[in-house]
Amino acid sequence: LADYSVYQRFDNFNSKYSPFRMAQMRKIFLKTDNHIEGRYFAELTKIVLARHEQGKGHSSGAEMRLSIYGMERKEWLQLA
């Protein structure tokens, strides 16, 4: 589970929320700038949003997040 240290440093957050606690798996499946150009992440996002739409009427919300680090000028272009 997340604790206070996760919100202080991105490396702690990333290690905590990587599939099987493996950073390489996170890069392969949950990033947009990888060999498959974020295709898996896009499909996963579509599924999650479709399920959320089906569950309307419930008192729940979704806050989708995607990290933009701002380290390279091409980040926004790649994301688009």
Side-chain angles (χ1 to χ4, degrees), residues 11-12 17 40 45 55 60:
D11 58 336
N12 289 342
Y17 291 99
Y40 181 85
T45 301
S60 64

Side-chain angles (χ1 to χ4, degrees), residues 6-48:
V6 169
Y7 300 103
Q8 299 300 308
R9 293 179 36 195
F10 280 117
D11 58 336
N12 289 342
F13 179 86
N14 290 340
S15 68
K16 200 125 183 152
Y17 291 99
S18 292
F20 308 110
R21 303 231 188 252
M22 297 173 66
Q24 191 62 22
M25 295 293 279
R26 185 170 177 268
K27 179 160 180 70
I28 292 170
F29 294 109
L30 301 177
K31 291 286 189 172
T32 58
D33 60 339
N34 53 23
H35 181 68
I36 57 176
E37 297 179 345
R39 185 73 183 163
Y40 181 85
F41 184 64
E43 294 296 327
L44 183 62
T45 301
K46 287 179 187 177
I47 291 168
V48 169

Side-chain angles (χ1 to χ4, degrees), residues 55-80:
K56 279 197 170 187
H58 300 283
S59 58
S60 64
E63 184 176 331
M64 306 298 285
R65 294 181 178 205
L66 179 64
S67 297
I68 306 274
Y69 298 101
M71 298 178 79
E72 296 181 31
R73 288 180 174 252
K74 63 182 180 178
E75 285 182 76
W76 283 103
L77 184 60
Q78 284 177 330
L79 186 57

